[in-house]
Amino acid sequence: MTDSLHIVCPHCHTTNRVRTDQLGSQPDCGSCKKPLFAARSTALDEAAFDKHIGRSQIPVLVDFWAPWCGPCRQMAPAYEQAAAQLEPQVRLVKVDTEAAPGLGTRFNIRSIPTLALFKDGREIARQPGAMSAADIVRWARSKAD
């Protein structure tokens, strides 16, 4: 019997059951039929954030950022490059702290950009400051295992 994981769709936010041996085979959402992994980050509001953090059984790396933040904009391309390298083992999402200030408050975000890694519904690591793609990948892999 093959183990399966719950994976939340980045498009419609439906929870899907995916066999672990199929993660790398570009699985599609059972609801909207779009790819569950697109090798890029997903922007989340508060409701979608709770679904991804609470239901995904793969680690979720969150970039807390704001549109007015220079270092955030500078790190954005590196974060997208990291998404291409980390998926499907890690889901990368972005939370605009201006659009979703409740999440910034809830997680006590004091500086941006801040990366926070969640596993099994709880935060397991945090890293403030802009990073290169290689550093994001290295940091996430070291913390997710």
Side-chain angles (χ1 to χ4, degrees):
M1 178 181 247
T2 304
D3 291 332
S4 62
L5 297 170
H6 288 143
I7 305 294
V8 179
C9 177
H11 309 285
C12 70
H13 310 296
T14 299
T15 303
N16 291 262
R17 185 180 306 269
V18 179
R19 291 188 351 221
T20 53
D21 63 349
Q22 295 295 313
L23 280 178
S25 300
Q26 302 173 338
D28 290 335
C29 176
S31 182
C32 73
K33 308 301 184 211
K34 293 181 180 177
L36 288 175
F37 300 102
R40 64 178 180 269
S41 68
T42 301
L44 299 180
D45 60 15
E46 289 191 49
F49 178 89
D50 288 333
K51 284 182 184 177
H52 281 265
I53 298 303
R55 295 183 185 162
S56 287
Q57 291 183 308
I58 59 171
V60 178
L61 181 60
V62 181
D63 174 16
F64 289 97
W65 72 287
W68 51 262
C69 168
C72 297
R73 290 192 316 269
Q74 182 181 0
M75 186 178 81
Y79 196 69
E80 296 307 312
Q81 292 169 8
Q85 295 178 53
L86 290 169
E87 284 195 347
Q89 288 76 32
V90 178
R91 164 82 69 213
L92 277 74
V93 302
K94 294 180 74 74
V95 171
D96 178 349
T97 57
E98 293 291 304
L103 289 173
T105 300
R106 184 166 130 198
F107 292 100
N108 201 27
I109 302 301
R110 297 289 178 222
S111 65
I112 52 174
T114 292
L115 298 181
L117 187 63
F118 291 81
K119 191 172 184 180
D120 300 322
R122 63 181 182 83
E123 184 178 339
I124 60 170
R126 182 179 290 210
Q127 177 66 47
M131 300 169 70
S132 69
D135 288 338
I136 294 168
V137 169
R138 188 172 21 262
W139 180 81
R141 285 184 176 152
S142 74
K143 303 298 180 184
D145 292 334

